[in-house]
mmCIF file of all heavy atoms in Angstrom:
data_model
loop_
_atom_site.group_PDB
_atom_site.id
_atom_site.type_symbol
_atom_site.label_atom_id
_atom_site.label_comp_id
_atom_site.label_asym_id
_atom_site.label_seq_id
_atom_site.Cartn_x
_atom_site.Cartn_y
_atom_site.Cartn_z
ATOM 1 N N PHE B 74 -5.886 -13.721 0.870
ATOM 2 C CA PHE B 74 -6.881 -13.400 -0.165
ATOM 3 C C PHE B 74 -6.165 -12.671 -1.306
ATOM 4 O O PHE B 74 -6.244 -11.452 -1.442
ATOM 5 C CB PHE B 74 -7.981 -12.521 0.442
ATOM 6 C CG PHE B 74 -9.189 -12.319 -0.443
ATOM 7 C CD1 PHE B 74 -9.719 -13.352 -1.203
ATOM 8 C CD2 PHE B 74 -9.842 -11.082 -0.466
ATOM 9 C CE1 PHE B 74 -10.855 -13.175 -1.986
ATOM 10 C CE2 PHE B 74 -10.984 -10.889 -1.248
ATOM 11 C CZ PHE B 74 -11.485 -11.934 -1.999
ATOM 12 N N PRO B 75 -5.460 -13.399 -2.162
ATOM 13 C CA PRO B 75 -4.723 -12.757 -3.248
ATOM 14 C C PRO B 75 -5.626 -12.299 -4.385
ATOM 15 O O PRO B 75 -6.640 -12.932 -4.683
ATOM 16 C CB PRO B 75 -3.775 -13.871 -3.723
ATOM 17 C CG PRO B 75 -4.463 -15.141 -3.339
ATOM 18 C CD PRO B 75 -5.234 -14.853 -2.083
ATOM 19 N N LEU B 76 -5.224 -11.210 -5.024
ATOM 20 C CA LEU B 76 -5.939 -10.654 -6.177
ATOM 21 C C LEU B 76 -5.042 -10.777 -7.401
ATOM 22 O O LEU B 76 -3.910 -10.300 -7.402
ATOM 23 C CB LEU B 76 -6.270 -9.172 -5.941
ATOM 24 C CG LEU B 76 -6.970 -8.444 -7.079
ATOM 25 C CD1 LEU B 76 -8.417 -8.909 -7.221
ATOM 26 C CD2 LEU B 76 -6.932 -6.924 -6.839
ATOM 27 N N ARG B 77 -5.567 -11.411 -8.430
ATOM 28 C CA ARG B 77 -4.796 -11.663 -9.639
ATOM 29 C C ARG B 77 -5.249 -10.723 -10.748
ATOM 30 O O ARG B 77 -6.452 -10.606 -11.011
ATOM 31 C CB ARG B 77 -5.005 -13.115 -10.083
ATOM 32 C CG ARG B 77 -4.304 -13.514 -11.365
ATOM 33 C CD ARG B 77 -2.850 -13.821 -11.143
ATOM 34 N NE ARG B 77 -2.188 -14.264 -12.376
ATOM 35 C CZ ARG B 77 -0.871 -14.311 -12.531
ATOM 36 N NH1 ARG B 77 -0.075 -13.935 -11.547
ATOM 37 N NH2 ARG B 77 -0.354 -14.743 -13.664
ATOM 38 N N LEU B 78 -4.291 -10.039 -11.378
ATOM 39 C CA LEU B 78 -4.559 -9.227 -12.563
ATOM 40 C C LEU B 78 -4.007 -9.962 -13.775
ATOM 41 O O LEU B 78 -2.815 -10.271 -13.825
ATOM 42 C CB LEU B 78 -3.867 -7.873 -12.488
ATOM 43 C CG LEU B 78 -4.547 -6.753 -11.722
ATOM 44 C CD1 LEU B 78 -4.475 -7.011 -10.237
ATOM 45 C CD2 LEU B 78 -3.899 -5.416 -12.064
ATOM 46 N N GLU B 79 -4.860 -10.258 -14.710
ATOM 47 C CA GLU B 79 -4.443 -10.898 -15.952
ATOM 48 C C GLU B 79 -4.469 -9.849 -17.062
ATOM 49 O O GLU B 79 -5.418 -9.078 -17.145
ATOM 50 C CB GLU B 79 -5.401 -12.030 -16.321
ATOM 51 C CG GLU B 79 -5.574 -13.094 -15.250
ATOM 52 C CD GLU B 79 -4.421 -14.074 -15.179
ATOM 53 O OE1 GLU B 79 -3.449 -13.915 -15.936
ATOM 54 O OE2 GLU B 79 -4.491 -14.987 -14.351
ATOM 55 N N LEU B 80 -3.439 -9.828 -17.877
ATOM 56 C CA LEU B 80 -3.412 -8.920 -19.033
ATOM 57 C C LEU B 80 -3.668 -7.475 -18.601
ATOM 58 O O LEU B 80 -4.703 -6.871 -18.931
ATOM 59 C CB LEU B 80 -4.446 -9.346 -20.076
ATOM 60 C CG LEU B 80 -4.247 -10.746 -20.666
ATOM 61 C CD1 LEU B 80 -5.413 -11.104 -21.595
ATOM 62 C CD2 LEU B 80 -2.923 -10.808 -21.433
ATOM 63 N N ALA B 81 -2.731 -6.930 -17.827
ATOM 64 C CA ALA B 81 -2.905 -5.592 -17.270
ATOM 65 C C ALA B 81 -3.188 -4.547 -18.342
ATOM 66 O O ALA B 81 -2.595 -4.568 -19.436
ATOM 67 C CB ALA B 81 -1.664 -5.192 -16.484
ATOM 68 N N ALA B 82 -4.083 -3.620 -18.001
ATOM 69 C CA ALA B 82 -4.456 -2.524 -18.901
ATOM 70 C C ALA B 82 -4.276 -1.196 -18.170
ATOM 71 O O ALA B 82 -4.352 -1.152 -16.929
ATOM 72 C CB ALA B 82 -5.906 -2.680 -19.339
ATOM 73 N N PRO B 83 -4.052 -0.095 -18.900
ATOM 74 C CA PRO B 83 -3.888 1.216 -18.243
ATOM 75 C C PRO B 83 -5.057 1.577 -17.324
ATOM 76 O O PRO B 83 -4.848 2.273 -16.317
ATOM 77 C CB PRO B 83 -3.789 2.185 -19.428
ATOM 78 C CG PRO B 83 -3.209 1.347 -20.521
ATOM 79 C CD PRO B 83 -3.821 -0.017 -20.344
ATOM 80 N N SER B 84 -6.257 1.092 -17.636
ATOM 81 C CA SER B 84 -7.431 1.394 -16.800
ATOM 82 C C SER B 84 -7.326 0.762 -15.409
ATOM 83 O O SER B 84 -8.097 1.117 -14.513
ATOM 84 C CB SER B 84 -8.704 0.895 -17.476
ATOM 85 O OG SER B 84 -8.647 -0.513 -17.655
ATOM 86 N N GLN B 85 -6.388 -0.147 -15.234
ATOM 87 C CA GLN B 85 -6.201 -0.770 -13.928
ATOM 88 C C GLN B 85 -5.165 -0.038 -13.067
ATOM 89 O O GLN B 85 -4.885 -0.467 -11.946
ATOM 90 C CB GLN B 85 -5.805 -2.240 -14.107
ATOM 91 C CG GLN B 85 -6.923 -3.078 -14.689
ATOM 92 C CD GLN B 85 -6.530 -4.513 -14.915
ATOM 93 O OE1 GLN B 85 -5.534 -4.805 -15.590
ATOM 94 N NE2 GLN B 85 -7.306 -5.431 -14.365
#
Side-chain angles (χ1 to χ4, degrees):
Chain B
F74 190 40
L76 178 72
R77 178 80 177 164
L78 277 72
E79 304 282 2
L80 299 175
S84 61
Q85 293 178 305

